[in-house]
Amino acid sequence: VEGPLRIELTGETGKLPYRGIGWYRKHFTIPAEDAGKQVFVDFDGAMAYAQIWLNGSYIGTWPYGYSSFRMDLTPFIKPGQKNVIAVRLDTEKWDSRWYPGAGIYRHVWLVKPHQVHVAHWGTFITTPEISDASALVKIEVNIENEGKNKVEAVIQTSVYEIDINDVPGAKVSSFKENIITIDAGSGAKVNSEAAISNPKRWDIISPNRYVAETKVLVNGKAVDTYYTPFGIRTLEFTAPNGFLLNGRRVEIKGTCNHHDLGALGSAINTSALQRQLSILQEMGCNSLRTSH
């Protein structure tokens, strides 16, 4: 957006010069002791039509610019040596009635799990039964075995309180241990449930949260640890009372927010996002639709 406006572009996007083709390259080294691990790159957002190469070899394409995605670098990674990842982004044909930005506009993560690990976004938690005395928590865990041998894995999950800074506190419950056998190059799913006594409910006024810590053990050694934050609350839509949060009628007052930050552009800016939310709360907003 520092460049000159492009008069030939549509007026809906303010004629900002976001159309074009952009390249990113990053040189990096991973330790030699990481040999045998899986290596992934996770993009929180890249606009648009991302094409990825590692050390000159094509990895894959992700067309959509608004959703997060993962690419597997394992086949072409060189542990103990220099590597270069290249990303091509193309907004020449991207069309919208709002400003979409261009380029890598969210964080990018290099993830290096063991060959046996919790899958990408591999947990799912529900709280189907809640009272002041107890809450039933159910968890589904998807495990992947990217290795060449069948393995027996032990899955252990514990629940802790978590504070506003995502720091775990007191342990409040444990799930029953699961033992599963996973074929090479395959996956498996386990389901468990546990109870939390005297649960602290998530609410607009008091957003209490918990975190489930899932450990994967192979041959008695913890090879992966995965954290899933969640809240305990009931949501109901009723007639004629409307929306009920934890049994209390709450009038939904919200906005639809685009991902950009106005004049600051689309690149992630944590303090600016916090400022946005604080202003919205001061206006009386209690809900948010994240769009585009």
Side-chain angles (χ1 to χ4, degrees):
V1 296
E2 293 180 354
L5 299 180
R6 289 177 57 183
I7 197 66
E8 74 276 13
L9 298 183
T10 58
E12 291 92 334
T13 52
K15 301 189 182 296
L16 290 168
Y18 70 91
R19 289 197 187 275
I21 295 173
W23 282 90
Y24 294 79
R25 287 180 178 84
K26 183 173 180 64
H27 296 259
F28 64 100
T29 302
I30 67 169
E33 53 265 29
D34 283 339
K37 289 185 176 181
Q38 298 300 115
V39 182
F40 302 104
V41 59
D42 291 355
F43 291 84
D44 286 353
M47 187 68 66
Y49 299 102
Q51 293 178 290
I52 319 296
W53 288 264
L54 179 68
N55 298 323
S57 296
Y58 175 70
I59 302 297
T61 296
W62 189 265
Y64 195 55
Y66 285 119
S67 59
S68 305
F69 62 96
R70 164 173 283 187
M71 292 288 175
D72 187 0
L73 304 182
T74 311
F76 304 106
I77 201 74
K78 298 177 180 178
Q81 302 179 45
K82 285 188 176 181
N83 296 265
V84 58
I85 185 171
V87 182
R88 181 187 188 272
L89 295 167
D90 182 357
T91 54
E92 285 288 353
K93 297 180 180 179
W94 189 258
D95 191 28
S96 65
R97 55 185 172 81
W98 54 84
Y99 174 64
I104 298 175
Y105 64 95
R106 291 290 187 266
H107 295 308
V108 181
W109 312 91
L110 189 69
V111 185
K112 303 183 295 182
H114 187 274
Q115 290 181 342
V116 183
H117 58 269
V118 176
H120 190 214
W121 300 325
T123 58
F124 184 64
I125 291 179
T126 56
T127 54
E129 298 176 18
I130 303 172
S131 70
D132 292 339
S134 179
L136 177 65
V137 181
K138 293 187 176 183
I139 185 170
E140 177 183 293
V141 181
N142 291 275
I143 309 295
E144 292 181 345
N145 175 15
E146 309 270 5
K148 297 180 180 180
N149 300 305
K150 180 187 294 187
V151 298
E152 184 179 87
V154 177
I155 314 302
Q156 299 174 341
T157 300
S158 300
V159 180
Y160 300 84
E161 294 181 351
I162 188 173
D163 68 14
I164 193 172
N165 297 311
D166 293 336
V167 178
K171 182 177 179 179
V172 296
S173 188
S174 293
F175 290 82
K176 181 181 178 181
E177 183 177 278
N178 293 100
I179 302 175
I180 56 173
T181 300
I182 315 174
D183 291 331
S186 185
K189 178 173 66 177
V190 298
N191 291 277
S192 298
E193 59 183 48
I196 296 178
S197 300
N198 305 312
K200 298 178 181 179
R201 300 198 190 199
W202 181 94
D203 196 280
I204 295 171
I205 302 169
S206 54
N208 298 300
R209 294 182 304 148
Y210 297 89
V211 62
E213 179 191 69
T214 301
K215 290 187 177 182
V216 181
L217 292 85
V218 176
N219 296 325
K221 179 183 178 182
V223 296
D224 191 28
T225 304
Y226 194 92
Y227 297 94
T228 311
F230 67 98
I232 295 175
R233 76 287 183 273
T234 61
L235 308 173
E236 300 175 83
F237 284 93
T238 66
N241 293 321
F243 175 64
L244 303 181
L245 173 63
N246 295 321
R248 185 182 84 256
R249 184 179 186 274
V250 174
E251 208 171 296
I252 296 175
K253 301 176 181 178
T255 60
C256 173
N257 277 42
H258 290 265
H259 82 285
D260 66 86
L261 293 162
L264 296 181
S266 299
I268 185 69
N269 185 314
T270 302
S271 60
L273 286 171
Q274 290 173 335
R275 176 180 177 273
Q276 265 191 354
L277 294 175
S278 296
I279 293 173
L280 288 170
Q281 282 188 316
E282 290 172 5
M283 290 169 53
C285 287
N286 59 17
S287 57
L288 186 73
R289 173 184 177 242
T290 57
S291 58
H292 323 308

Short mmCIF file of all heavy atoms in Angstrom, two decimals, residues 165-209:
data_model
loop_
_atom_site.label_atom_id
_atom_site.label_comp_id
_atom_site.label_asym_id
_atom_site.label_seq_id
_atom_site.Cartn_x
_atom_site.Cartn_y
_atom_site.Cartn_z
N ASN A 165 -3.30 -15.46 30.01
CA ASN A 165 -2.07 -15.50 29.22
C ASN A 165 -1.75 -16.90 28.70
O ASN A 165 -0.62 -17.18 28.31
CB ASN A 165 -0.90 -14.98 30.05
CG ASN A 165 -1.07 -13.52 30.44
OD1 ASN A 165 -1.38 -12.68 29.59
ND2 ASN A 165 -0.90 -13.20 31.72
N ASP A 166 -2.74 -17.80 28.75
CA ASP A 166 -2.60 -19.18 28.27
C ASP A 166 -1.64 -20.01 29.11
O ASP A 166 -1.06 -20.99 28.64
CB ASP A 166 -2.16 -19.23 26.80
CG ASP A 166 -3.23 -18.70 25.86
OD1 ASP A 166 -4.41 -18.75 26.26
OD2 ASP A 166 -2.90 -18.25 24.75
N VAL A 167 -1.45 -19.63 30.37
CA VAL A 167 -0.57 -20.37 31.27
C VAL A 167 -1.41 -21.38 32.06
O VAL A 167 -2.35 -20.98 32.76
CB VAL A 167 0.17 -19.43 32.24
CG1 VAL A 167 1.03 -20.23 33.21
CG2 VAL A 167 1.02 -18.44 31.46
N PRO A 168 -1.10 -22.68 31.97
CA PRO A 168 -1.87 -23.68 32.72
C PRO A 168 -1.70 -23.51 34.23
O PRO A 168 -0.63 -23.12 34.72
CB PRO A 168 -1.28 -25.02 32.25
CG PRO A 168 -0.62 -24.71 30.95
CD PRO A 168 -0.11 -23.30 31.08
N GLY A 169 -2.79 -23.82 34.96
CA GLY A 169 -2.76 -23.74 36.41
C GLY A 169 -3.05 -25.08 37.05
O GLY A 169 -2.40 -26.08 36.72
N ALA A 170 -4.04 -25.12 37.92
CA ALA A 170 -4.34 -26.33 38.67
C ALA A 170 -4.91 -27.43 37.77
O ALA A 170 -5.70 -27.18 36.86
CB ALA A 170 -5.34 -26.01 39.78
N LYS A 171 -4.49 -28.67 38.04
CA LYS A 171 -5.04 -29.82 37.34
C LYS A 171 -6.40 -30.15 37.92
O LYS A 171 -6.57 -30.22 39.14
CB LYS A 171 -4.10 -31.02 37.48
CG LYS A 171 -4.55 -32.26 36.74
CD LYS A 171 -3.52 -33.37 36.89
CE LYS A 171 -3.93 -34.64 36.18
NZ LYS A 171 -2.92 -35.72 36.31
N VAL A 172 -7.39 -30.35 37.03
CA VAL A 172 -8.76 -30.55 37.52
C VAL A 172 -9.33 -31.92 37.15
O VAL A 172 -10.32 -32.35 37.73
CB VAL A 172 -9.69 -29.44 37.00
CG1 VAL A 172 -9.28 -28.08 37.55
CG2 VAL A 172 -9.72 -29.42 35.48
N SER A 173 -8.72 -32.61 36.17
CA SER A 173 -9.27 -33.91 35.78
C SER A 173 -8.29 -34.64 34.87
O SER A 173 -7.35 -34.04 34.33
CB SER A 173 -10.61 -33.73 35.05
OG SER A 173 -11.25 -34.97 34.84
N SER A 174 -8.53 -35.94 34.71
CA SER A 174 -7.75 -36.77 33.79
C SER A 174 -8.68 -37.71 33.04
O SER A 174 -9.67 -38.20 33.61
CB SER A 174 -6.70 -37.60 34.55
OG SER A 174 -5.71 -36.79 35.12
N PHE A 175 -8.38 -37.95 31.79
CA PHE A 175 -9.13 -38.90 30.99
C PHE A 175 -8.53 -40.30 31.15
O PHE A 175 -7.35 -40.45 31.50
CB PHE A 175 -9.07 -38.51 29.51
CG PHE A 175 -9.86 -37.27 29.17
CD1 PHE A 175 -9.33 -36.02 29.37
CD2 PHE A 175 -11.14 -37.38 28.64
CE1 PHE A 175 -10.04 -34.87 29.05
CE2 PHE A 175 -11.87 -36.25 28.32
CZ PHE A 175 -11.32 -34.99 28.52
N LYS A 176 -9.32 -41.30 30.86
CA LYS A 176 -8.83 -42.67 30.91
C LYS A 176 -7.78 -42.87 29.82
O LYS A 176 -7.92 -42.41 28.70
CB LYS A 176 -9.97 -43.66 30.70
CG LYS A 176 -9.56 -45.12 30.76
CD LYS A 176 -10.75 -46.05 30.53
CE LYS A 176 -10.32 -47.51 30.54
NZ LYS A 176 -11.45 -48.42 30.28
N GLU A 177 -6.71 -43.54 30.17
CA GLU A 177 -5.63 -43.81 29.22
C GLU A 177 -6.10 -44.74 28.11
O GLU A 177 -6.83 -45.70 28.35
CB GLU A 177 -4.46 -44.43 29.98
CG GLU A 177 -3.22 -44.70 29.16
CD GLU A 177 -2.09 -45.24 30.01
OE1 GLU A 177 -1.39 -44.43 30.66
OE2 GLU A 177 -1.92 -46.48 30.04
N ASN A 178 -5.71 -44.44 26.87
CA ASN A 178 -6.04 -45.28 25.72
C ASN A 178 -4.77 -45.89 25.14
O ASN A 178 -3.75 -45.23 25.03
CB ASN A 178 -6.74 -44.47 24.62
CG ASN A 178 -8.10 -43.97 25.03
OD1 ASN A 178 -8.25 -42.82 25.41
ND2 ASN A 178 -9.11 -44.83 24.96
N ILE A 179 -4.85 -47.17 24.76
CA ILE A 179 -3.74 -47.85 24.09
C ILE A 179 -4.23 -48.29 22.71
O ILE A 179 -5.24 -49.00 22.60
CB ILE A 179 -3.25 -49.07 24.90
CG1 ILE A 179 -2.81 -48.63 26.31
CG2 ILE A 179 -2.11 -49.77 24.18
CD1 ILE A 179 -2.42 -49.80 27.21
N ILE A 180 -3.52 -47.84 21.67
CA ILE A 180 -3.97 -48.13 20.31
C ILE A 180 -2.80 -48.63 19.48
O ILE A 180 -1.64 -48.32 19.75
CB ILE A 180 -4.59 -46.88 19.63
CG1 ILE A 180 -3.59 -45.72 19.64
CG2 ILE A 180 -5.88 -46.49 20.29
CD1 ILE A 180 -4.07 -44.52 18.85
N THR A 181 -3.12 -49.39 18.45
CA THR A 181 -2.13 -49.85 17.47
C THR A 181 -2.42 -49.15 16.16
O THR A 181 -3.56 -49.15 15.67
CB THR A 181 -2.20 -51.37 17.29
OG1 THR A 181 -1.93 -52.02 18.55
CG2 THR A 181 -1.17 -51.83 16.27
N ILE A 182 -1.37 -48.55 15.57
CA ILE A 182 -1.53 -47.78 14.35
C ILE A 182 -0.61 -48.35 13.27
O ILE A 182 0.60 -48.46 13.47
CB ILE A 182 -1.19 -46.30 14.56
CG1 ILE A 182 -1.83 -45.76 15.85
CG2 ILE A 182 -1.64 -45.47 13.36
CD1 ILE A 182 -1.42 -44.36 16.20
N ASP A 183 -1.18 -48.71 12.15
CA ASP A 183 -0.39 -49.23 11.03
C ASP A 183 0.51 -48.13 10.45
O ASP A 183 0.23 -46.93 10.60
CB ASP A 183 -1.30 -49.77 9.93
CG ASP A 183 -2.01 -51.04 10.35
OD1 ASP A 183 -1.46 -51.78 11.17
OD2 ASP A 183 -3.15 -51.27 9.86
N ALA A 184 1.58 -48.55 9.79
CA ALA A 184 2.49 -47.60 9.14
C ALA A 184 1.74 -46.78 8.10
O ALA A 184 0.91 -47.29 7.36
CB ALA A 184 3.64 -48.36 8.48
N GLY A 185 2.01 -45.47 8.10
CA GLY A 185 1.38 -44.58 7.14
C GLY A 185 -0.11 -44.45 7.30
O GLY A 185 -0.82 -44.10 6.35
N SER A 186 -0.60 -44.70 8.51
CA SER A 186 -2.04 -44.67 8.74
C SER A 186 -2.36 -43.80 9.96
O SER A 186 -1.48 -43.15 10.53
CB SER A 186 -2.56 -46.10 8.96
OG SER A 186 -3.95 -46.12 9.08
N GLY A 187 -3.63 -43.79 10.33
CA GLY A 187 -4.06 -43.01 11.48
C GLY A 187 -5.08 -43.77 12.30
O GLY A 187 -5.61 -44.80 11.87
N ALA A 188 -5.35 -43.25 13.49
CA ALA A 188 -6.34 -43.87 14.38
C ALA A 188 -7.01 -42.78 15.21
O ALA A 188 -6.45 -41.69 15.40
CB ALA A 188 -5.69 -44.91 15.28
N LYS A 189 -8.19 -43.09 15.69
CA LYS A 189 -8.97 -42.14 16.48
C LYS A 189 -9.37 -42.76 17.79
O LYS A 189 -9.78 -43.92 17.84
CB LYS A 189 -10.20 -41.70 15.69
CG LYS A 189 -11.12 -40.73 16.41
CD LYS A 189 -12.21 -40.23 15.48
CE LYS A 189 -13.16 -41.32 15.05
NZ LYS A 189 -14.25 -40.82 14.20
N VAL A 190 -9.24 -42.00 18.88
CA VAL A 190 -9.67 -42.47 20.19
C VAL A 190 -10.64 -41.45 20.78
O VAL A 190 -10.54 -40.25 20.54
CB VAL A 190 -8.48 -42.68 21.15
CG1 VAL A 190 -7.55 -43.75 20.62
CG2 VAL A 190 -7.71 -41.39 21.39
N ASN A 191 -11.59 -41.96 21.56
CA ASN A 191 -12.58 -41.11 22.23
C ASN A 191 -12.55 -41.41 23.72
O ASN A 191 -12.50 -42.57 24.13
CB ASN A 191 -13.98 -41.37 21.68
CG ASN A 191 -14.15 -40.88 20.26
OD1 ASN A 191 -14.41 -39.71 20.02
ND2 ASN A 191 -13.98 -41.79 19.30
N SER A 192 -12.55 -40.36 24.52
CA SER A 192 -12.54 -40.51 25.97
C SER A 192 -13.45 -39.47 26.59
O SER A 192 -13.82 -38.47 25.94
CB SER A 192 -11.12 -40.35 26.53
OG SER A 192 -10.25 -41.34 26.03
N GLU A 193 -13.80 -39.68 27.84
CA GLU A 193 -14.58 -38.69 28.56
C GLU A 193 -14.13 -38.63 30.01
O GLU A 193 -13.59 -39.60 30.56
CB GLU A 193 -16.07 -38.97 28.47
CG GLU A 193 -16.50 -40.32 29.01
CD GLU A 193 -18.00 -40.55 28.82
OE1 GLU A 193 -18.51 -40.34 27.71
OE2 GLU A 193 -18.64 -40.96 29.81
N ALA A 194 -14.33 -37.48 30.61
CA ALA A 194 -13.94 -37.25 32.01
C ALA A 194 -14.88 -36.23 32.61
O ALA A 194 -15.59 -35.50 31.89
CB ALA A 194 -12.49 -36.77 32.10
N ALA A 195 -14.91 -36.16 33.93
CA ALA A 195 -15.76 -35.21 34.64
C ALA A 195 -14.89 -34.16 35.33
O ALA A 195 -13.80 -34.45 35.83
CB ALA A 195 -16.62 -35.93 35.66
N ILE A 196 -15.39 -32.93 35.34
CA ILE A 196 -14.75 -31.83 36.07
C ILE A 196 -15.72 -31.39 37.16
O ILE A 196 -16.86 -31.03 36.88
CB ILE A 196 -14.42 -30.65 35.14
CG1 ILE A 196 -13.38 -31.08 34.10
CG2 ILE A 196 -13.91 -29.45 35.93
CD1 ILE A 196 -13.02 -29.98 33.12
N SER A 197 -15.27 -31.44 38.40
CA SER A 197 -16.12 -31.05 39.53
C SER A 197 -16.16 -29.53 39.66
O SER A 197 -15.16 -28.85 39.43
CB SER A 197 -15.58 -31.66 40.82
OG SER A 197 -15.57 -33.07 40.75
N ASN A 198 -17.34 -29.03 40.01
CA ASN A 198 -17.54 -27.59 40.24
C ASN A 198 -16.93 -26.75 39.11
O ASN A 198 -16.04 -25.92 39.34
CB ASN A 198 -16.94 -27.18 41.58
CG ASN A 198 -17.47 -28.00 42.74
OD1 ASN A 198 -18.68 -28.18 42.87
ND2 ASN A 198 -16.58 -28.50 43.58
N PRO A 199 -17.37 -26.98 37.89
CA PRO A 199 -16.74 -26.30 36.75
C PRO A 199 -16.94 -24.79 36.78
O PRO A 199 -18.00 -24.29 37.18
CB PRO A 199 -17.44 -26.92 35.55
CG PRO A 199 -18.78 -27.33 36.07
CD PRO A 199 -18.52 -27.80 37.48
N LYS A 200 -15.92 -24.08 36.34
CA LYS A 200 -16.01 -22.63 36.17
C LYS A 200 -16.44 -22.37 34.73
O LYS A 200 -15.71 -22.67 33.80
CB LYS A 200 -14.66 -21.97 36.45
CG LYS A 200 -14.16 -22.17 37.88
CD LYS A 200 -12.79 -21.54 38.07
CE LYS A 200 -12.27 -21.76 39.48
NZ LYS A 200 -10.92 -21.16 39.68
N ARG A 201 -17.61 -21.82 34.58
CA ARG A 201 -18.16 -21.67 33.23
C ARG A 201 -17.54 -20.49 32.49
O ARG A 201 -17.19 -19.48 33.07
CB ARG A 201 -19.68 -21.50 33.30
CG ARG A 201 -20.39 -22.66 33.94
CD ARG A 201 -21.85 -22.67 33.62
NE ARG A 201 -22.60 -23.63 34.41
CZ ARG A 201 -23.80 -24.09 34.10
NH1 ARG A 201 -24.38 -23.67 32.99
NH2 ARG A 201 -24.42 -24.95 34.87
N TRP A 202 -17.45 -20.71 31.15
CA TRP A 202 -17.09 -19.59 30.28
C TRP A 202 -18.32 -18.72 30.11
O TRP A 202 -19.43 -19.19 29.88
CB TRP A 202 -16.64 -20.11 28.92
CG TRP A 202 -16.24 -18.98 28.00
CD1 TRP A 202 -14.99 -18.48 27.81
CD2 TRP A 202 -17.12 -18.20 27.17
NE1 TRP A 202 -15.03 -17.44 26.91
CE2 TRP A 202 -16.33 -17.25 26.50
CE3 TRP A 202 -18.50 -18.22 26.94
CZ2 TRP A 202 -16.86 -16.31 25.62
CZ3 TRP A 202 -19.04 -17.29 26.06
CH2 TRP A 202 -18.22 -16.35 25.41
N ASP A 203 -18.13 -17.41 30.24
CA ASP A 203 -19.22 -16.47 30.07
C ASP A 203 -18.64 -15.18 29.52
O ASP A 203 -17.43 -14.95 29.59
CB ASP A 203 -19.92 -16.21 31.42
CG ASP A 203 -21.28 -15.56 31.25
OD1 ASP A 203 -21.32 -14.33 31.04
OD2 ASP A 203 -22.30 -16.27 31.31
N ILE A 204 -19.50 -14.33 28.97
CA ILE A 204 -19.03 -13.04 28.47
C ILE A 204 -18.37 -12.24 29.58
O ILE A 204 -17.34 -11.58 29.38
CB ILE A 204 -20.22 -12.26 27.87
CG1 ILE A 204 -20.77 -12.98 26.65
CG2 ILE A 204 -19.80 -10.84 27.49
CD1 ILE A 204 -22.05 -12.41 26.13
N ILE A 205 -18.96 -12.30 30.77
CA ILE A 205 -18.44 -11.52 31.89
C ILE A 205 -17.21 -12.18 32.49
O ILE A 205 -16.25 -11.51 32.89
CB ILE A 205 -19.54 -11.36 32.97
CG1 ILE A 205 -20.77 -10.68 32.37
CG2 ILE A 205 -19.02 -10.57 34.17
CD1 ILE A 205 -21.98 -10.71 33.26
N SER A 206 -17.21 -13.49 32.58
CA SER A 206 -16.09 -14.23 33.18
C SER A 206 -15.66 -15.35 32.24
O SER A 206 -16.12 -16.48 32.36
CB SER A 206 -16.51 -14.80 34.54
OG SER A 206 -17.69 -15.57 34.40
N PRO A 207 -14.77 -15.05 31.29
CA PRO A 207 -14.40 -16.05 30.27
C PRO A 207 -13.41 -17.09 30.79
O PRO A 207 -12.26 -17.16 30.36
CB PRO A 207 -13.78 -15.18 29.17
CG PRO A 207 -13.23 -13.99 29.89
CD PRO A 207 -14.16 -13.73 31.04
N ASN A 208 -13.87 -17.91 31.74
CA ASN A 208 -13.01 -18.98 32.28
C ASN A 208 -12.74 -20.03 31.21
O ASN A 208 -13.62 -20.38 30.42
CB ASN A 208 -13.71 -19.66 33.47
CG ASN A 208 -13.95 -18.69 34.61
OD1 ASN A 208 -13.02 -18.11 35.16
ND2 ASN A 208 -15.22 -18.50 34.96
N ARG A 209 -11.51 -20.54 31.20
CA ARG A 209 -11.15 -21.55 30.22
C ARG A 209 -10.34 -22.66 30.88
O ARG A 209 -9.77 -22.50 31.96
CB ARG A 209 -10.30 -20.94 29.08
CG ARG A 209 -11.05 -19.95 28.22
CD ARG A 209 -10.13 -19.46 27.11
NE ARG A 209 -8.91 -18.90 27.65
CZ ARG A 209 -7.72 -18.94 27.05
NH1 ARG A 209 -7.59 -19.55 25.89
NH2 ARG A 209 -6.66 -18.40 27.61
#
